[in-house]
Amino acid sequence: MSERIPVLRIGDVLLVSVQFDLEDQTVLNLQEDLAEQIVAKSARGVVIDISALEIVDSFVGRMLATVAAISRVLDARTVVVGMRPAVAITLVELGLSLGGVSTALDLEKGLAKLRRPIGSASQ
């Protein structure tokens, strides 16, 4: 049985903190859980904290982009926070694009980014 990642609610934002390496089924569960929570809680934003991840491969990069796309379809914006410099370098070296995914250095800045109006120049 795969582990499930908790989805916590902070106002109209959902917080997902990834604390362990992701397996395929864990990612599928997260996508399903998050989509259900966005609808059930009328969430306007999703913050995905990856500060515990030391290594990110193409699978995780695609997962982040997919989760953001699902959230966007459900009218919620996504911000990935806590990315380590080595992870950012790896994503760039792999040529991965996190299309539609905003990033912020930490949770506080991620929440602030979600509070800004869509289309704000500083996004």
Side-chain angles (χ1 to χ4, degrees), residues 21 32 52 68 78 95 102:
D21 291 334
E32 184 178 316
T78 301
S102 295

Side-chain angles (χ1 to χ4, degrees), residues 52-92:
L53 299 181
E54 295 182 18
I55 298 172
V56 171
D57 57 13
S58 61
F59 173 71
V60 174
R62 283 193 309 272
M63 179 276 296
L64 294 172
T66 301
V67 166
I70 291 169
S71 300
R72 197 170 37 254
V73 168
L74 295 173
D75 198 26
R77 295 167 34 200
T78 301
V79 178
V80 174
V81 302
M83 188 177 302
R84 295 175 184 220
V87 170
I89 291 168
T90 300
L91 288 174
V92 170

Side-chain angles (χ1 to χ4, degrees), residues 77 102 112-123:
R77 295 167 34 200
S102 295
K113 190 172 263 193
L114 288 174
R115 289 187 194 107
R116 291 184 201 135
I118 294 174
S120 169
S122 56
Q123 280 190 11

Side-chain angles (χ1 to χ4, degrees), residues 16-108:
V16 177
S17 182
V18 180
Q19 297 292 312
F20 49 85
D21 291 334
L22 299 171
E23 297 176 0
D24 292 359
Q25 188 59 49
T26 306
V27 170
L28 294 174
N29 291 341
L30 174 61
Q31 291 171 352
E32 184 178 316
D33 293 346
L34 195 53
E36 289 176 4
Q37 291 292 317
I38 289 170
V39 173
K41 310 287 186 191
S42 299
R44 304 293 290 169
V46 175
V47 175
I48 302 174
D49 178 7
I50 62 168
S51 59
L53 299 181
E54 295 182 18
I55 298 172
V56 171
D57 57 13
S58 61
F59 173 71
V60 174
R62 283 193 309 272
M63 179 276 296
L64 294 172
T66 301
V67 166
I70 291 169
S71 300
R72 197 170 37 254
V73 168
L74 295 173
D75 198 26
R77 295 167 34 200
T78 301
V79 178
V80 174
V81 302
M83 188 177 302
R84 295 175 184 220
V87 170
I89 291 168
T90 300
L91 288 174
V92 170
E93 287 177 348
L94 290 172
L96 293 175
S97 170
L98 299 179
V101 180
S102 295
T103 58
L105 290 179
D106 56 35
L107 178 59
E108 183 178 352

